[in-house]
Amino acid sequence: MIRIGIILGSTRPHRNGEQVATWVHDTASRRTDAEFELIDLRDHPLPHLDEPPGAMHGHHQHAHTRAWAAKIASFDGFVMVTPEYNHSTSGVLKNALDHLYAEWNNKAAGFVSYGVVGGARAAEQLRLICGALQMADVSQQVTLSLMTEFENYTTLKPADHSATALDTLLDQIVTWSTALAPLRAASEAAA
């Protein structure tokens, strides 16, 4: 069965992302076409790019990187829940992506973002990053505005159109993760 990781890309205190990631996970968990697991970056503290040979070479020297690599390698696709900070994604999510390379290859990626304008700019930057990691990003994304979908900027109250967009995003993630399986298998056989 296809496995999809839902990455919570914020580690800030009092983060809104926890509610968003829980909403995504709860919605996804009702499906029967894939397994979904929530991955909180708080549980995977990664120093800033501390691997001497670099991620592309795949020679992970530190235990925290090896553990992160094993976690990511176990999934077929990802939904990244990202805040928008200064027109971009969070530094902790970018660092988590940059720590690895091959473990991301030939996997699907989708984005659920939140911020004053829904986090759309953060998701667009993640599309570029995922492309460099040889990931296939799905077209549907969910953008949650702090102004309209969070009560008092803190309590998530997703609109009906956001729930519909999330269902479509999950459909696309499962479809693309399944379609990319032969590429992942070929890469593993060649390794």
Side-chain angles (χ1 to χ4, degrees):
M1 179 167 288
I2 294 295
R3 291 185 30 115
I4 308 297
I6 300 167
I7 300 175
L8 172 47
S10 173
T11 58
R12 290 177 68 163
H14 312 294
R15 59 191 174 166
N16 285 334
E18 195 163 349
Q19 295 172 73
V20 176
T22 299
W23 171 65
V24 171
H25 186 257
D26 289 349
T27 301
S29 294
R30 292 192 287 271
R31 301 173 65 102
T32 59
D33 54 355
E35 294 176 2
F36 296 87
E37 182 179 324
L38 184 57
I39 306 164
D40 190 338
L41 291 181
R42 282 186 180 170
D43 299 332
H44 300 277
L46 298 166
H48 184 73
L49 297 177
D50 66 339
E51 288 289 339
M56 191 171 280
H57 299 13
H59 305 295
H60 308 308
Q61 295 182 6
H62 300 297
H64 57 263
T65 307
R66 288 192 302 273
W68 180 237
K71 175 59 83 175
I72 295 308
S74 73
F75 292 100
D76 301 297
F78 301 93
V79 175
M80 297 181 196
V81 175
T82 182
E84 183 174 314
Y85 299 147
N86 300 317
H87 294 215
S88 187
T89 191
S90 68
V92 70
L93 179 54
K94 175 71 164 83
N95 186 52
L97 288 163
D98 288 345
H99 257 74
L100 306 175
Y101 180 73
E103 294 83 358
W104 299 113
N105 293 177
N106 300 316
K107 296 181 180 181
F111 312 103
V112 176
S113 58
Y114 59 96
V116 174
V117 292
R121 295 170 292 207
E124 289 308 305
Q125 289 203 1
L126 281 171
R127 288 182 190 284
L128 295 172
I129 295 163
C130 288
L133 294 170
Q134 296 186 41
M135 298 178 81
D137 59 294
V138 301
S139 62
Q140 182 66 54
Q141 70 185 52
V142 179
T143 56
L144 302 167
S145 170
L146 289 173
M147 312 288 270
T148 59
E149 297 192 71
F150 288 83
E151 188 176 284
N152 298 318
Y153 301 97
T154 58
T155 305
L156 177 63
K157 303 280 185 182
D160 290 345
H161 71 273
S162 293
T164 300
L166 178 58
D167 287 336
T168 301
L169 182 148
L170 294 170
D171 288 343
Q172 291 177 0
I173 286 289
V174 170
T175 299
W176 277 94
S177 295
T178 303
L180 291 167
L183 292 175
R184 289 191 302 278
S187 293
E188 291 169 12

